[in-house]
mmCIF file with all atom_site columns, all heavy atoms in Angstrom:
data_model
loop_
_atom_site.group_PDB
_atom_site.id
_atom_site.type_symbol
_atom_site.label_atom_id
_atom_site.label_alt_id
_atom_site.label_comp_id
_atom_site.label_asym_id
_atom_site.label_entity_id
_atom_site.label_seq_id
_atom_site.pdbx_PDB_ins_code
_atom_site.Cartn_x
_atom_site.Cartn_y
_atom_site.Cartn_z
_atom_site.occupancy
_atom_site.B_iso_or_equiv
_atom_site.pdbx_formal_charge
_atom_site.auth_seq_id
_atom_site.auth_comp_id
_atom_site.auth_asym_id
_atom_site.auth_atom_id
_atom_site.pdbx_PDB_model_num
ATOM 1   N N   . VAL B 1 103 ? 0.524   9.186  -8.051  1.00 97.00 ? 103 VAL B N   1
ATOM 2   C CA  . VAL B 1 103 ? -0.608  9.691  -8.825  1.00 97.00 ? 103 VAL B CA  1
ATOM 3   C C   . VAL B 1 103 ? -0.108  10.869 -9.652  1.00 97.00 ? 103 VAL B C   1
ATOM 4   O O   . VAL B 1 103 ? 0.578   11.752 -9.134  1.00 97.00 ? 103 VAL B O   1
ATOM 5   C CB  . VAL B 1 103 ? -1.758  10.153 -7.897  1.00 97.00 ? 103 VAL B CB  1
ATOM 6   C CG1 . VAL B 1 103 ? -2.872  10.821 -8.692  1.00 97.00 ? 103 VAL B CG1 1
ATOM 7   C CG2 . VAL B 1 103 ? -2.312  8.965  -7.113  1.00 97.00 ? 103 VAL B CG2 1
ATOM 8   N N   . ILE B 1 104 ? -0.436  10.863 -10.921 1.00 97.00 ? 104 ILE B N   1
ATOM 9   C CA  . ILE B 1 104 ? -0.109  12.017 -11.766 1.00 97.00 ? 104 ILE B CA  1
ATOM 10  C C   . ILE B 1 104 ? -1.411  12.714 -12.151 1.00 97.00 ? 104 ILE B C   1
ATOM 11  O O   . ILE B 1 104 ? -2.354  12.063 -12.637 1.00 97.00 ? 104 ILE B O   1
ATOM 12  C CB  . ILE B 1 104 ? 0.653   11.604 -13.041 1.00 97.00 ? 104 ILE B CB  1
ATOM 13  C CG1 . ILE B 1 104 ? 2.032   11.058 -12.670 1.00 97.00 ? 104 ILE B CG1 1
ATOM 14  C CG2 . ILE B 1 104 ? 0.805   12.794 -13.992 1.00 97.00 ? 104 ILE B CG2 1
ATOM 15  C CD1 . ILE B 1 104 ? 2.850   10.570 -13.858 1.00 97.00 ? 104 ILE B CD1 1
ATOM 16  N N   . VAL B 1 105 ? -1.455  14.016 -11.919 1.00 98.00 ? 105 VAL B N   1
ATOM 17  C CA  . VAL B 1 105 ? -2.618  14.841 -12.283 1.00 98.00 ? 105 VAL B CA  1
ATOM 18  C C   . VAL B 1 105 ? -2.182  15.788 -13.398 1.00 98.00 ? 105 VAL B C   1
ATOM 19  O O   . VAL B 1 105 ? -1.147  16.449 -13.286 1.00 98.00 ? 105 VAL B O   1
ATOM 20  C CB  . VAL B 1 105 ? -3.115  15.653 -11.066 1.00 98.00 ? 105 VAL B CB  1
ATOM 21  C CG1 . VAL B 1 105 ? -4.353  16.472 -11.440 1.00 98.00 ? 105 VAL B CG1 1
ATOM 22  C CG2 . VAL B 1 105 ? -3.412  14.728 -9.896  1.00 98.00 ? 105 VAL B CG2 1
ATOM 23  N N   . ASP B 1 106 ? -2.964  15.840 -14.475 1.00 97.00 ? 106 ASP B N   1
ATOM 24  C CA  . ASP B 1 106 ? -2.573  16.702 -15.598 1.00 97.00 ? 106 ASP B CA  1
ATOM 25  C C   . ASP B 1 106 ? -2.985  18.152 -15.323 1.00 97.00 ? 106 ASP B C   1
ATOM 26  O O   . ASP B 1 106 ? -3.648  18.447 -14.325 1.00 97.00 ? 106 ASP B O   1
ATOM 27  C CB  . ASP B 1 106 ? -3.130  16.156 -16.920 1.00 97.00 ? 106 ASP B CB  1
ATOM 28  C CG  . ASP B 1 106 ? -4.623  16.335 -17.103 1.00 97.00 ? 106 ASP B CG  1
ATOM 29  O OD1 . ASP B 1 106 ? -5.264  17.102 -16.351 1.00 97.00 ? 106 ASP B OD1 1
ATOM 30  O OD2 . ASP B 1 106 ? -5.169  15.689 -18.022 1.00 97.00 ? 106 ASP B OD2 1
ATOM 31  N N   . PRO B 1 107 ? -2.571  19.082 -16.176 1.00 96.00 ? 107 PRO B N   1
ATOM 32  C CA  . PRO B 1 107 ? -2.862  20.501 -15.926 1.00 96.00 ? 107 PRO B CA  1
ATOM 33  C C   . PRO B 1 107 ? -4.361  20.845 -15.860 1.00 96.00 ? 107 PRO B C   1
ATOM 34  O O   . PRO B 1 107 ? -4.722  21.896 -15.339 1.00 96.00 ? 107 PRO B O   1
ATOM 35  C CB  . PRO B 1 107 ? -2.188  21.202 -17.120 1.00 96.00 ? 107 PRO B CB  1
ATOM 36  C CG  . PRO B 1 107 ? -1.056  20.300 -17.496 1.00 96.00 ? 107 PRO B CG  1
ATOM 37  C CD  . PRO B 1 107 ? -1.595  18.921 -17.277 1.00 96.00 ? 107 PRO B CD  1
ATOM 38  N N   . GLN B 1 108 ? -5.202  19.951 -16.373 1.00 97.00 ? 108 GLN B N   1
ATOM 39  C CA  . GLN B 1 108 ? -6.656  20.178 -16.303 1.00 97.00 ? 108 GLN B CA  1
ATOM 40  C C   . GLN B 1 108 ? -7.275  19.513 -15.073 1.00 97.00 ? 108 GLN B C   1
ATOM 41  O O   . GLN B 1 108 ? -8.498  19.516 -14.903 1.00 97.00 ? 108 GLN B O   1
ATOM 42  C CB  . GLN B 1 108 ? -7.338  19.634 -17.562 1.00 97.00 ? 108 GLN B CB  1
ATOM 43  C CG  . GLN B 1 108 ? -7.036  20.447 -18.833 1.00 97.00 ? 108 GLN B CG  1
ATOM 44  C CD  . GLN B 1 108 ? -5.629  20.187 -19.344 1.00 97.00 ? 108 GLN B CD  1
ATOM 45  O OE1 . GLN B 1 108 ? -5.163  19.053 -19.391 1.00 97.00 ? 108 GLN B OE1 1
ATOM 46  N NE2 . GLN B 1 108 ? -4.924  21.251 -19.718 1.00 97.00 ? 108 GLN B NE2 1
ATOM 47  N N   . GLY B 1 109 ? -6.442  18.927 -14.222 1.00 98.00 ? 109 GLY B N   1
ATOM 48  C CA  . GLY B 1 109 ? -6.950  18.323 -12.995 1.00 98.00 ? 109 GLY B CA  1
ATOM 49  C C   . GLY B 1 109 ? -7.458  16.903 -13.155 1.00 98.00 ? 109 GLY B C   1
ATOM 50  O O   . GLY B 1 109 ? -8.167  16.396 -12.284 1.00 98.00 ? 109 GLY B O   1
ATOM 51  N N   . ILE B 1 110 ? -7.081  16.250 -14.240 1.00 98.00 ? 110 ILE B N   1
ATOM 52  C CA  . ILE B 1 110 ? -7.514  14.875 -14.499 1.00 98.00 ? 110 ILE B CA  1
ATOM 53  C C   . ILE B 1 110 ? -6.377  13.912 -14.144 1.00 98.00 ? 110 ILE B C   1
ATOM 54  O O   . ILE B 1 110 ? -5.212  14.167 -14.448 1.00 98.00 ? 110 ILE B O   1
ATOM 55  C CB  . ILE B 1 110 ? -7.914  14.682 -15.979 1.00 98.00 ? 110 ILE B CB  1
ATOM 56  C CG1 . ILE B 1 110 ? -9.012  15.687 -16.356 1.00 98.00 ? 110 ILE B CG1 1
ATOM 57  C CG2 . ILE B 1 110 ? -8.366  13.253 -16.242 1.00 98.00 ? 110 ILE B CG2 1
ATOM 58  C CD1 . ILE B 1 110 ? -10.291 15.571 -15.542 1.00 98.00 ? 110 ILE B CD1 1
ATOM 59  N N   . VAL B 1 111 ? -6.742  12.804 -13.514 1.00 98.00 ? 111 VAL B N   1
ATOM 60  C CA  . VAL B 1 111 ? -5.759  11.799 -13.140 1.00 98.00 ? 111 VAL B CA  1
ATOM 61  C C   . VAL B 1 111 ? -5.285  11.061 -14.385 1.00 98.00 ? 111 VAL B C   1
ATOM 62  O O   . VAL B 1 111 ? -6.094  10.547 -15.159 1.00 98.00 ? 111 VAL B O   1
ATOM 63  C CB  . VAL B 1 111 ? -6.363  10.793 -12.125 1.00 98.00 ? 111 VAL B CB  1
ATOM 64  C CG1 . VAL B 1 111 ? -5.371  9.674  -11.823 1.00 98.00 ? 111 VAL B CG1 1
ATOM 65  C CG2 . VAL B 1 111 ? -6.767  11.510 -10.848 1.00 98.00 ? 111 VAL B CG2 1
ATOM 66  N N   . ARG B 1 112 ? -3.998  11.012 -14.598 1.00 97.00 ? 112 ARG B N   1
ATOM 67  C CA  . ARG B 1 112 ? -3.440  10.340 -15.767 1.00 97.00 ? 112 ARG B CA  1
ATOM 68  C C   . ARG B 1 112 ? -2.669  9.071  -15.383 1.00 97.00 ? 112 ARG B C   1
ATOM 69  O O   . ARG B 1 112 ? -2.413  8.232  -16.235 1.00 97.00 ? 112 ARG B O   1
ATOM 70  C CB  . ARG B 1 112 ? -2.532  11.303 -16.518 1.00 97.00 ? 112 ARG B CB  1
ATOM 71  C CG  . ARG B 1 112 ? -3.272  12.545 -17.027 1.00 97.00 ? 112 ARG B CG  1
ATOM 72  C CD  . ARG B 1 112 ? -4.193  12.236 -18.183 1.00 97.00 ? 112 ARG B CD  1
ATOM 73  N NE  . ARG B 1 112 ? -3.425  11.775 -19.316 1.00 97.00 ? 112 ARG B NE  1
ATOM 74  C CZ  . ARG B 1 112 ? -2.840  12.584 -20.183 1.00 97.00 ? 112 ARG B CZ  1
ATOM 75  N NH1 . ARG B 1 112 ? -2.932  13.894 -20.050 1.00 97.00 ? 112 ARG B NH1 1
ATOM 76  N NH2 . ARG B 1 112 ? -2.144  12.078 -21.193 1.00 97.00 ? 112 ARG B NH2 1
ATOM 77  N N   . LEU B 1 113 ? -2.272  8.969  -14.123 1.00 96.00 ? 113 LEU B N   1
ATOM 78  C CA  . LEU B 1 113 ? -1.669  7.741  -13.618 1.00 96.00 ? 113 LEU B CA  1
ATOM 79  C C   . LEU B 1 113 ? -2.135  7.580  -12.187 1.00 96.00 ? 113 LEU B C   1
ATOM 80  O O   . LEU B 1 113 ? -2.165  8.561  -11.422 1.00 96.00 ? 113 LEU B O   1
ATOM 81  C CB  . LEU B 1 113 ? -0.140  7.799  -13.671 1.00 96.00 ? 113 LEU B CB  1
ATOM 82  C CG  . LEU B 1 113 ? 0.568   6.586  -13.015 1.00 96.00 ? 113 LEU B CG  1
ATOM 83  C CD1 . LEU B 1 113 ? 1.578   5.967  -13.945 1.00 96.00 ? 113 LEU B CD1 1
ATOM 84  C CD2 . LEU B 1 113 ? 1.242   6.975  -11.710 1.00 96.00 ? 113 LEU B CD2 1
ATOM 85  N N   . HIS B 1 114 ? -2.503  6.379  -11.844 1.00 96.00 ? 114 HIS B N   1
ATOM 86  C CA  . HIS B 1 114 ? -2.948  6.091  -10.478 1.00 96.00 ? 114 HIS B CA  1
ATOM 87  C C   . HIS B 1 114 ? -2.359  4.735  -10.130 1.00 96.00 ? 114 HIS B C   1
ATOM 88  O O   . HIS B 1 114 ? -2.857  3.707  -10.558 1.00 96.00 ? 114 HIS B O   1
ATOM 89  C CB  . HIS B 1 114 ? -4.480  6.061  -10.425 1.00 96.00 ? 114 HIS B CB  1
ATOM 90  C CG  . HIS B 1 114 ? -5.016  5.694  -9.075  1.00 96.00 ? 114 HIS B CG  1
ATOM 91  N ND1 . HIS B 1 114 ? -6.344  5.419  -8.839  1.00 96.00 ? 114 HIS B ND1 1
ATOM 92  C CD2 . HIS B 1 114 ? -4.412  5.545  -7.863  1.00 96.00 ? 114 HIS B CD2 1
ATOM 93  C CE1 . HIS B 1 114 ? -6.534  5.126  -7.565  1.00 96.00 ? 114 HIS B CE1 1
ATOM 94  N NE2 . HIS B 1 114 ? -5.372  5.196  -6.965  1.00 96.00 ? 114 HIS B NE2 1
ATOM 95  N N   . HIS B 1 115 ? -1.262  4.750  -9.413  1.00 94.00 ? 115 HIS B N   1
ATOM 96  C CA  . HIS B 1 115 ? -0.543  3.521  -9.114  1.00 94.00 ? 115 HIS B CA  1
ATOM 97  C C   . HIS B 1 115 ? -0.486  3.320  -7.615  1.00 94.00 ? 115 HIS B C   1
ATOM 98  O O   . HIS B 1 115 ? 0.092   4.125  -6.906  1.00 94.00 ? 115 HIS B O   1
ATOM 99  C CB  . HIS B 1 115 ? 0.874   3.586  -9.687  1.00 94.00 ? 115 HIS B CB  1
ATOM 100 C CG  . HIS B 1 115 ? 1.666   2.344  -9.444  1.00 94.00 ? 115 HIS B CG  1
ATOM 101 N ND1 . HIS B 1 115 ? 1.716   1.307  -10.336 1.00 94.00 ? 115 HIS B ND1 1
ATOM 102 C CD2 . HIS B 1 115 ? 2.421   1.973  -8.386  1.00 94.00 ? 115 HIS B CD2 1
ATOM 103 C CE1 . HIS B 1 115 ? 2.482   0.346  -9.839  1.00 94.00 ? 115 HIS B CE1 1
ATOM 104 N NE2 . HIS B 1 115 ? 2.921   0.717  -8.675  1.00 94.00 ? 115 HIS B NE2 1
#
Side-chain angles (χ1 to χ4, degrees):
Chain B
V103 174
I104 294 178
V105 182
D106 73 14
Q108 290 75 43
I110 303 300
V111 175
R112 299 288 296 276
L113 174 128
H114 177 190
H115 181 92

